[in-house]
Amino acid sequence: MTQIVLGICTCRRPAGLERLLNSIAAIAFAGSLRVIVVDNDEASEGVRVCERMARGYRWPLTCVAESERGISYARNRAVTEALRHDPDFIAMLDDDEWAESAWLDEMMAIQHRFDADVVCGPVLPVFVAASSTWEPLAEYFGAQLNLADGARFVPFAGGNMLVRAASFRDLAPTPFDPRFATTGGEDLVFFRVLDRRGCRMHWAAKGVVYEEVPAERMSLRWLRQRQFRAGSLNVTVQRMFAPGLMAETLRLAKTAGVIVLSAAYLVAALPLRTARTRALLMLSRGLGKLMGHLNIRVHQYGQAR
């Protein structure tokens, strides 16, 4: 029987963690699954949730504390603990998500169909605030939802992934680059490395999990910060995989083009709310790219999320 370990990194989201664990207890999967939670905060709220739920939980459930703050350290600890059980695959979900009943079956169906090394699925946003305040922003949540089931692609986010354990073993002990521990982007780098190693990566359109979008994220300000960070990370990661003066010059020219075009778009779109929003977010991403060229990085995970 195929052995799967699910790794969950948590930090100050005890209610979200409990909701996720309850959803995993209710999935339709009939195979072998073990759940490992990594608590990445000194308050140990996740540890207490797991201690309370472990007795009588459907799957073997353990929780460990990782004292080194940062998403890379938490993910790497989850992989280290998972590999101790010699699984065939390691799945990862985030503590603000919850899974549909068929989630793991659908992920494994794509894995079997394509003999995939990596399977990623959609993370559908669930909004908590009144729609009138965020409707123009909704399209910026839930990326990659238009891919066909089984499509070959290189993922850029690891919120819903199933990976062959051998791929993690090959990159142990730090498959997720510690240099991105406080900025995010460690999952993007991980997938780019696997792509260079020839790993087969596919999309499971029916392997659905949901993500709560809290009120504080449903604002133009938060999305502008997100786009700024993404722009900075984009340049940083591209520089890792395509170094050199010529490549950097081309990237800088593209960044300048994004900034100029988005500024012009913003002027033209001022009277139109949705178009103005798109222009502002495009400009934020361009300015973030500029910061990436200047080696200025935006830190997200060093403190409470």
Side-chain angles (χ1 to χ4, degrees), residues 11 22 157 198 207 214 264 281 287 303:
C11 182
N22 282 330
L281 293 175
L287 293 174
Q303 298 161 6

Side-chain angles (χ1 to χ4, degrees), residues 136-143 223 226-227 274 277-279 281-282:
L137 311 177
E139 65 184 86
Y140 292 93
F141 297 90
L223 276 174
R226 182 184 188 183
Q227 290 295 311
T274 300
T277 295
R278 290 172 177 159
L281 293 175
M282 182 178 173

